[in-house]
Amino acid sequence: MPSVTLSLNQRAALLSIVMLVVGLLIWEAAIPAQKAATELTEYERLMGLGEARAGVPPPSQVIAKAWEQLSNPFYDAGPNDKGIGIQIGYSIYRVLSGYLMAALVAIPLGFLIGMSPVAYKALNPFIQVLRPISPLAWMPLALFIIQDSEASAIFVIFICSIWPMLINTAFGVAGVRADWVNVARTHELGAFRTAFTVILPAAAPTIITGMRISIGIAWLVIVAAEMLVGGTGIGYYVWNEWNNLDLTSVIFSILMIGVVGMMLDSAFGLLQRTVAYVE
Amino acid sequence: MSKPYLSIERLTQQFPDGQGGTMTVFENASFGIEKGEFVCILGHSGCGKSTIMNILAGLAEPTSGVVKMDGFGVSGPSLDRGVVFQNYSLLPWLSALKNVIFGVKARYPKWSRARVEEHARQYLAMVGLEGDVVHRKPSQLSGGMRQRVSIARAFANHPKLLLLDEPFGALDALTRGTIQDELLKIWGGTEQTVFMITHDIDEAILLADRILLMTNGPFARVAESVEITIPRPRDRTSIIEHPNYYAIRNHLVQFLGKRSKELSGKPSEGQDQRPETVRIDLTAKEDSQPDPDSDGAPRRLRAVND
């Protein structure tokens, strides 16, 4: 018998598939079959149990739902019935706008804090107090001041993604090796060229790590924020389907949140690899 | 008397000693370096060699005293003073070639991209780095290769003064030998003025026109300036047969082993601390003046610098 040697990755992939299949089978088997209406007693029928009961759906139904939704992701049949693609699109739009604004503030400010010990010490107390605030705690204030639920959601994303980027940028910039800065000094580079040709590439891996943490947090927060502000977005979709008692859609959208989050994270993982260097 | 090309005048460096007082590393140190000269400075750790180097590079400020180059006082780092650091200080995210280009671009901002690259490649080739190797990142190069890149970067910028801070300190003896030869070769073609820190006596004799000897700190001073009376071009295998080699070497060993301690710890009391010139030349016996001491010890012909 020829021996088959699988690589580590192949064995891991095989194991993943086995776990997925076993998990789905257990889930499928654990859902009790609903009684047919003819087998119900008079009392049960009076209690309304003849209706399709809202139970946790089996994976087969979720897969069917996923197929149905993903084969037409961008349909728009009114405010409460939009395709999953449209909902996710709204969420990504909000995350990216809040996130980009945060990056525009956090990275230059982090540079300043990292370069100047005075600025670091002066701003540190504010950062330490503002950072642990749950982003959703800002929501009422944002709604009152901004007077617009859409912009408030973006503001919440802004405020939650700013901290990891700010702190990592400051940390990365402050940690640039003195030798490299001395190279810039002995080559008479001005402040701007030093910042762009020496400090930025030296601190880039730390900065991108901060950006990666931020995008993760932003994606976590957008779901909660959209449940609050409503209207559109994947968070609203989950909540709306819960109100519709459509648990199949709830489970499907939970999975979609995970998949999109993973894709955002891998995009930054890719970026991280391109700026990485070995000392 | 005319001023030397690089003139260090009454340089003093003091640091707080942590108990409210001051610790004087060196005081009123004064010496000069001529254009095109290769000068090594030898001394024990902690005597302030690196401090002098950092002051010359403009990376540190002395407590008092001035450094004049070509008649002008210098302050702050400048492209006129290139530095090769012991830890290479290459930018790890750039390839070897890009590291040299980084320097050339800073020095000659008006050059075209092609000209900058050609110039960088030419200097890398001078230290024996050609072909695909120049596209490697520093982490993919051996220590010796990294230091070659660093030397190429410094020479490519044609600084008026090249400062080498123990450039071969982290290399193994064989690699060190090869790169010393390369340094000699590249230096020979450029008339570059070089000031170099080293801990290696043989390296100093091979490379230098003159060796400055520092006493131990605190209150360290540049006590002697020993001329290396071995003609160039020098070769590591043949210089040891030169009659002056061991005489000079013994003098240096004796200084570092014994007199660096005896001479240390004396405040200058406001005097200029100029090194005494020491010239050891056994080959010039016949045309030198009659030697008073003939007890077999290496002959020293001393002349005070000014």
Side-chain angles (χ1 to χ4, degrees), chain A:
Chain A
M1 189 183 135
S3 69
V4 182
T5 19
L6 295 174
S7 76
L8 187 74
N9 284 342
Q10 285 169 325
R11 276 182 286 159
L14 206 62
L15 191 60
S16 291
I17 292 169
V18 169
M19 287 194 286
L20 178 68
V21 170
V22 169
L24 290 177
L25 284 176
I26 292 174
W27 178 7
E28 185 85 40
I31 308 295
Q34 292 200 14
K35 285 184 185 171
T38 49
E39 294 168 26
L40 296 174
T41 61
E42 189 76 8
Y43 174 70
E44 281 172 328
R45 266 200 294 274
L46 276 172
M47 292 299 287
L49 293 179
E51 309 291 313
R53 207 161 43 118
V56 175
S60 51
Q61 273 183 37
V62 176
I63 292 166
K65 181 81 189 176
W67 180 257
E68 177 203 323
Q69 283 282 347
L70 291 177
S71 50
N72 186 16
F74 298 109
Y75 75 90
D76 189 350
N80 271 341
D81 193 9
K82 292 188 206 301
I84 188 80
I86 292 183
Q87 305 288 23
I88 287 178
Y90 274 112
S91 298
I92 289 180
Y93 156 73
R94 289 186 188 122
V95 162
L96 289 187
S97 1
Y99 180 83
L100 286 179
M101 279 193 276
L104 288 180
V105 174
I107 293 172
L109 194 62
F111 242 86
L112 180 74
I113 296 174
M115 301 265 257
S116 147
V118 179
Y120 177 79
K121 280 191 190 273
L123 283 165
N124 195 39
F126 299 104
I127 296 174
Q128 295 310 327
V129 170
L130 294 175
R131 192 170 59 113
I133 298 172
S134 164
L136 291 173
W138 293 97
M139 187 62 99
L141 192 63
L143 284 169
F144 177 76
I145 293 173
I146 306 173
Q147 303 272 325
D148 178 75
S149 63
E150 173 79 22
S152 300
I154 292 173
F155 172 77
V156 166
I157 296 304
F158 168 82
I159 204 80
C160 77
S161 30
I162 203 165
W163 309 115
M165 282 196 269
L166 183 66
I167 290 165
N168 266 49
T169 305
F171 183 75
V173 167
V176 171
R177 281 192 22 201
D179 297 334
W180 301 337
V181 179
N182 282 344
V183 168
R185 291 179 64 196
T186 53
H187 285 88
E188 285 186 43
L189 298 192
F192 270 96
R193 283 199 56 199
T194 304
F196 282 103
T197 60
V198 177
I199 294 175
L200 189 63
T206 326
I207 296 174
I208 302 289
T209 304
M211 295 177 79
R212 196 175 175 182
I213 297 170
S214 278
I215 198 83
I217 293 176
W219 188 246
L220 291 181
V221 168
I222 193 64
V223 175
E226 284 170 347
M227 283 180 178
L228 280 176
V229 300
T232 47
I234 188 78
Y236 167 73
Y237 180 80
V238 175
W239 202 251
N240 194 36
E241 296 305 330
W242 159 240
N243 286 334
N244 295 340
L245 272 183
D246 183 356
L247 282 179
T248 316
S249 292
V250 169
I251 293 173
F252 165 65
S253 47
I254 289 173
L255 289 175
M256 287 311 293
I257 293 169
V259 169
V260 173
M262 185 186 77
M263 290 195 305
L264 288 174
D265 187 65
S266 353
F268 278 90
L270 212 65
L271 194 59
Q272 213 168 17
R273 273 200 293 284
T274 60
V275 299
Y277 58 83
V278 188
E279 269 181 49

Side-chain angles (χ1 to χ4, degrees), chain B residues 247 250 254 280 282 291 293-300:
Chain B
N250 290 345
Q254 193 233 14
I280 303 168
L282 303 181
D291 198 335
D293 71 339
S294 46
D295 52 358
R299 257 164 279 237
R300 279 184 219 129

